[in-house]
Amino acid sequence: MNSSKLKVSLLSLSVLAALSPLNVMAAKLTVEQRLELLEAELSSYKNKVAELQQNIKDNEKRNQTATNIAPQSPVADNIENENSEKNNAVAKPEVKATQQVAVINTEGNKPKVESVTMKDISKFVKEDIGFSYEGYFRSGWGTSNHGSTQTYAAGSLGRFGNEMSGWFDLTMNQRVYNQDGKTANAVVTYDGNVGEQYNDAWFGDSDNENILQFSDIFLTTKGFLPFAREADFWVGKHKLPEYEIQMLDWKSLTTDVAAAVGIQNWDLGVGQLDASLSRNDVDVYSRDFNNTTQMNTNSVDLRYRNIPLWQDGSLSLMGKYAFANKTDEQKKNESNNSYFELKDTWMATGIVRQELDRDGFNEFTLQVANNSYASSFSNFSGASNSMAQGRYYYGDHSNGIAWRLISQGEMYLADRIIMANALVWSHGEDVYSYESGAHSDFNSFRAVIRPAWIWDTWNQTGVELAWFAQKNTTQQGQDLKESAYKTTLYHALKVGPSLLGSRPEIRFYGTYINIIDNELSQFKFNDDSKNEFMAGVQAEVWW
């Protein structure tokens, strides 16, 4: 028995010695070297476990033989009981080469066998390396009854069956410091569009859809600020989290940013504070549109989130203010009326979120803005808040006001029926519209609902119904209307019941779009048609 104890102890020490080099040499080895070392140690480890199993079996046989030969007496009974206790203290490890290995620890004189899965080992390696890789993309095939498929007003009619581009986001996160409660991570995100019309869609070719940009390059830290050790403090090209209306594919709250500094998740009182200072220069046009001047602009973004209201209900309050840092020459150009005047702009947001049964939810948002932020509200399709059209600023922005009410979420109408919604009502007075010009008024309503029947975890059949209508009234009193409706019937292969929160998803769809009014866009499909039927299949995934 002493020999068996010695073997178990030596084996335990061997296991500990086998695992320790991973921590000792982590800073000196590459990822490939660490994985190679880990595989070698696991192989040796399994041999030692097999040897331990054989020793246990041999020990059991010796004990059985001794029990059969020895005369029955009180002394023999005590020996048998003692052997039984010791044998029961050593569990037989079940080793599966491709799934798990056994880890033997010692507690006093009794060895203890624990199971470690390959998932645990993978997590250990990932945490040891400090690297993570996340991403998203969508892609698919489609055709229509008027030649190549075309997207129309997806920001009002919804994305399903009305989204013909391929998009991707890829994020790499590498921990570069972790000591004494302080961490630092370098994060890079690049995203863009993938051409899905031609085979040779090379990046850099101006004649195709392929575009690419670095949307994030920043360093984020935790524990360095003595007054907010739990908060994330970051510097670089980055912005506070966006609030997206997923069914419409635009952001009710976002920030245009070239470089910034910010703090997130700062626990203050009953909620959390986020704040950022961002730079986003714009090119301001001359009034004849022949020249531009680069104007330095910055914005302040403040948010106080997750204020508890009632059971499963919370409130978030947010404000943004963007302003220009003009040169003397730019001020002169504005005063002599040779260039458009860039005006400061602000936006205020309140969001009430209600959590519902079975991971359902609904968000109700109220937003108010002026000047160029108000102009972005007037866009009949994509309506992400922005102070410019891309990087270009133009137009006579007045001090008019625009506001909008938004509802979005998903809920279960029955055990097997789930429905998502996106409803937006917008109104503006005396604002600059990129479709109808200065001093415009507008009213718009867009509604998209998506009920679906849940066959099982992996199959859903549903329909997306959408309608929108917008009317702009020009400075001269002319009414310009834009309206349409869409019906999409689809079947989806999924990995969960949620419409908005489970991916990957493959959807087979048929879509019909009919444009009723097009006085703002003058848009028509191929063959000068105001309606189109499309059929296709699309994949969407994030990881």
Side-chain angles (χ1 to χ4, degrees):
M1 297 300 296
N2 291 335
S3 175
S4 178
K5 286 183 179 180
L6 179 60
K7 290 181 180 179
V8 172
S9 300
L10 290 175
L11 180 56
S12 300
L13 292 175
S14 299
V15 171
L16 293 176
L19 293 176
S20 61
L22 294 174
N23 295 324
V24 174
M25 297 187 291
K28 300 180 181 180
L29 298 177
T30 65
V31 175
E32 292 77 9
Q33 289 172 328
R34 293 181 199 178
L35 293 175
E36 184 178 353
L37 176 61
L38 182 60
E39 290 176 354
E41 295 297 344
L42 286 176
S43 178
S44 174
Y45 195 25
K46 288 186 288 185
N47 293 335
K48 292 177 181 178
V49 171
E51 181 181 349
L52 175 61
Q53 287 180 305
Q54 188 61 45
N55 289 340
I56 292 174
K57 291 180 181 179
D58 293 343
N59 187 48
E60 288 178 344
K61 290 181 180 179
R62 287 195 296 269
N63 290 338
Q64 184 63 39
T65 302
T67 301
N68 294 336
I69 297 176
Q72 297 299 314
S73 67
V75 176
D77 290 341
N78 290 338
I79 294 174
E80 182 177 356
N81 292 336
E82 181 181 355
N83 288 336
S84 176
E85 291 176 1
K86 292 179 180 178
N87 289 335
N88 290 334
V90 183
K92 296 181 181 180
E94 180 182 349
V95 180
K96 296 181 180 180
T98 60
Q99 297 181 0
Q100 64 179 24
V101 296
V103 174
I104 299 92
N105 295 320
T106 57
E107 296 179 359
N109 294 326
K110 295 182 178 181
K112 180 181 177 182
V113 180
E114 299 176 352
S115 175
V116 178
T117 66
M118 297 304 293
K119 183 178 180 181
D120 295 329
I121 296 172
S122 175
K123 181 179 178 182
F124 166 77
V125 174
K126 181 178 179 180
E127 292 179 351
D128 181 58
I129 296 171
F131 176 80
S132 65
Y133 173 60
E134 300 174 357
Y136 164 88
F137 71 79
R138 65 171 184 261
S139 182
W141 171 90
T143 188
S144 86
N145 62 334
H146 294 293
S148 62
T149 56
Q150 292 179 276
T151 297
Y152 168 71
S156 286
L157 293 176
R159 299 171 55 186
F160 259 34
N162 188 25
E163 191 174 48
M164 305 308 154
S165 64
W167 189 265
F168 67 91
D169 299 281
L170 303 174
T171 299
M172 294 173 287
N173 185 326
Q174 175 64 60
R175 187 180 67 231
V176 294
Y177 184 83
N178 184 16
Q179 188 173 334
D180 300 327
K182 296 177 175 61
T183 63
N185 287 60
V187 184
V188 175
T189 298
Y190 56 101
D191 56 14
N193 194 74
V194 176
E196 297 190 328
Q197 299 184 54
Y198 297 95
N199 175 55
D200 56 344
W202 295 98
F203 284 110
D205 185 348
S206 60
D207 294 329
N208 64 56
E209 302 174 279
N210 275 18
I211 57 175
L212 175 68
Q213 70 170 348
F214 285 88
S215 54
D216 270 333
I217 302 178
F218 69 102
L219 178 69
T220 182
T221 67
K222 189 186 292 288
F224 284 87
L225 300 179
F227 56 87
R229 295 187 180 278
E230 79 287 350
D232 299 301
F233 176 63
W234 49 262
V235 177
K237 183 175 174 62
H238 187 51
K239 57 189 168 187
L240 297 182
E242 298 176 320
Y243 284 74
E244 181 182 42
I245 304 179
Q246 189 182 136
M247 296 177 71
L248 302 179
D249 201 21
W250 52 267
K251 283 74 176 174
S252 60
L253 185 63
T254 185
T255 300
D256 295 326
V257 58
V261 54
I263 184 172
Q264 290 177 230
N265 306 314
W266 184 3
D267 293 328
L268 284 178
V270 296
Q272 293 178 309
L273 180 68
D274 300 337
S276 69
L277 174 62
S278 307
R279 174 183 178 178
N280 177 47
D281 291 2
V282 297
D283 289 340
V284 180
Y285 268 112
S286 61
R287 288 192 172 273
D288 59 8
F289 289 95
N290 290 326
N291 299 290
T292 61
T293 178
Q294 179 182 343
M295 189 171 292
N296 177 234
T297 62
N298 296 276
S299 63
V300 176
D301 197 339
L302 297 174
R303 307 178 184 181
Y304 192 50
R305 301 181 293 107
N306 299 330
I307 306 167
L309 295 177
W310 47 73
Q311 183 176 356
D312 298 326
S314 62
L315 170 68
S316 296
L317 300 173
M318 307 167 183
K320 286 177 55 180
Y321 185 83
F323 53 94
N325 177 28
K326 303 174 183 178
T327 66
D328 292 340
E329 181 69 20
Q330 289 168 340
K331 294 177 183 177
K332 179 181 178 181
N333 291 336
E334 289 182 350
S335 64
N336 64 27
N337 210 32
S338 60
Y339 278 73
F340 290 105
E341 180 184 1
L342 191 151
K343 293 186 176 181
D344 296 353
T345 181
W346 56 263
M347 182 179 75
T349 301
I351 300 176
V352 175
R353 182 181 174 95
Q354 180 66 50
E355 304 294 339
L356 303 175
D357 294 338
R358 298 170 65 179
D359 296 325
F361 74 96
N362 212 89
E363 286 182 348
F364 301 95
T365 301
L366 170 63
Q367 292 186 305
V368 183
N370 80 335
N371 293 338
S372 54
Y373 282 156
S375 295
S376 65
F377 286 16
S378 71
N379 191 312
F380 73 87
S381 183
S384 298
N385 59 275
S386 176
M387 69 177 303
Q389 282 285 81
R391 72 185 327 180
Y392 297 103
Y393 184 97
Y394 58 92
D396 290 313
H397 294 264
S398 55
N399 293 317
I401 300 293
W403 56 89
R404 61 188 177 193
L405 291 170
I406 304 170
S407 169
Q408 74 157 333
E410 67 176 13
M411 64 188 70
Y412 286 86
L413 304 181
D415 286 343
R416 288 187 174 272
I417 301 176
I418 188 172
M419 185 180 76
N421 77 88
L423 311 172
V424 183
W425 175 73
S426 303
H427 174 78
E429 297 178 357
D430 193 25
V431 302
Y432 181 82
S433 167
Y434 294 105
E435 284 82 29
S436 57
H439 305 288
S440 292
D441 299 339
F442 72 91
N443 280 285
S444 74
F445 184 77
R446 58 195 94 187
V448 185
I449 59 172
R450 188 192 305 164
W453 175 266
I454 303 171
W455 298 99
D456 52 39
T457 302
W458 306 280
N459 289 273
Q460 282 185 12
T461 300
V463 60
E464 182 167 284
L465 304 173
W467 170 83
F468 87 97
Q470 178 161 329
K471 182 178 74 172
N472 285 25
T473 302
T474 68
Q475 185 178 7
Q476 295 76 27
Q478 181 185 8
D479 290 339
L480 301 175
K481 298 179 180 179
E482 193 85 12
S483 62
Y485 64 85
K486 184 198 77 169
T487 301
T488 296
L489 178 65
Y490 73 93
H491 180 81
L493 306 179
K494 296 174 61 64
V495 295
S498 173
L499 293 170
L500 304 179
S502 64
R503 299 293 186 275
E505 179 174 295
I506 297 175
R507 55 190 75 111
F508 302 87
Y509 65 85
T511 293
Y512 177 75
I513 296 177
N514 185 54
I515 302 173
I516 303 171
D517 301 298
N518 64 344
E519 295 172 347
L520 290 173
S521 68
Q522 306 299 315
F523 179 88
K524 291 185 180 179
F525 296 105
N526 293 327
D527 299 327
D528 203 30
S529 173
K530 295 181 70 173
N531 57 69
E532 181 176 60
F533 175 78
M534 296 170 284
V537 56
Q538 185 184 53
E540 187 176 24
V541 59
W542 58 62
W543 64 92

